[in-house]
Amino acid sequence: MKTLVGKCERIAVFCGARPGVRQDHVDFAHGFGRALAGRGLDLVYGAGGVGVMGAVADGVLEGGGAVTGIVPRSLHERERADRARGAIFVVRSMHERKALMYRLSSGFAVLPGGIGTLDELMEVATWNQLSLMEKPIVVVNHAGFYDPMLAMLDHLVAEGFLTAAERRLIRSADTAEEALDLLGAPARTPLHPVLASA
């Protein structure tokens, strides 16, 4: 796989519009957003104004990064896009939402979320598998949230439904900094003095 070191500009973050039952997921997402901006990267996300989505967008903006949200008209109210941060694009369908997110992004990070998050992860992995694109994918497995899914992927390899090379298309990291390194993000840049003292 080609390296994107020095070339990453925008990272798409797949995550839930809900906060989940643990505040830790929301707090981690906020910190991930700040770390993303600290590497000089911008965010592409699903334009949810609440939950994990809202937290990661807040973190990026607080860190001085730019945020681009993309939401289908049918989810505009449900995901509270009226509260979304950054530049928001309303598209006609989920297909258009995902296609635009993929086109705008240099890589993909996966934070806690539900079925929609898993759908986005598996679709970009499939696109890589079929050589429709070649962009890094990292599951950010904070506090072991994705342990069962990662074990399932290993099970698919053991059962012969996935090759070891295909399994490596989905990498995992325990921390934000490790995830950004795997995404080929440039070296960490110091925060603006005002933000660093906040």
Side-chain angles (χ1 to χ4, degrees):
M1 182 172 289
K2 296 174 186 174
T3 179
L4 291 176
V5 174
K7 294 183 181 178
C8 272
E9 295 179 356
R10 295 187 197 98
I11 297 296
V13 175
F14 302 144
C15 57
R18 296 176 181 172
V21 298
R22 292 174 48 183
Q23 179 63 32
D24 184 47
H25 295 321
V26 175
D27 295 340
F28 181 81
H30 185 269
F32 185 85
R34 285 185 65 93
L36 193 74
R39 297 284 189 108
L41 301 173
D42 296 330
L43 170 69
V44 175
Y45 80 126
V50 292
V52 178
M53 271 197 217
V56 73
D58 281 344
V60 171
L61 289 172
E62 288 177 20
V67 171
T68 301
I70 304 162
V71 64
R73 197 175 321 284
S74 61
L75 291 182
H76 192 272
E77 289 185 18
R78 180 175 172 179
E79 294 188 355
R80 298 309 305 264
D82 58 316
R83 296 187 190 175
R85 291 69 156 164
I88 306 302
F89 294 89
V90 180
V91 295
R92 289 178 295 181
S93 66
M94 285 294 289
H95 176 75
E96 287 186 12
R97 176 199 221 179
K98 293 191 289 186
L100 184 55
M101 289 179 76
Y102 304 167
R103 188 165 69 248
L104 292 177
S105 304
S106 303
F108 307 94
V110 185
L111 299 183
I115 291 174
T117 302
L118 295 176
D119 169 61
E120 290 166 330
L121 164 62
M122 293 305 168
E123 184 164 313
V124 293
T126 301
W127 283 30
N128 272 353
Q129 180 189 32
L130 297 176
S131 299
L132 298 175
M133 68 179 179
E134 193 173 347
K135 298 180 181 181
I137 304 164
V138 178
V139 171
V140 190
N141 192 31
H142 173 68
F145 180 83
Y146 279 113
D147 281 349
M149 184 201 69
L150 295 170
M152 183 64 193
L153 293 174
D154 293 336
H155 176 67
L156 294 177
V157 174
E159 291 290 328
F161 289 99
L162 195 65
T163 68
E166 290 166 339
R167 169 65 182 87
R168 288 192 293 272
L169 294 173
I170 300 175
R171 303 169 82 182
S172 63
D174 295 330
T175 68
E177 296 300 336
E178 182 187 0
L180 293 171
D181 287 342
L182 289 174
L183 287 166
R188 186 179 183 89
T189 57
L191 290 173
H192 186 280
V194 174
L195 294 174
S197 63

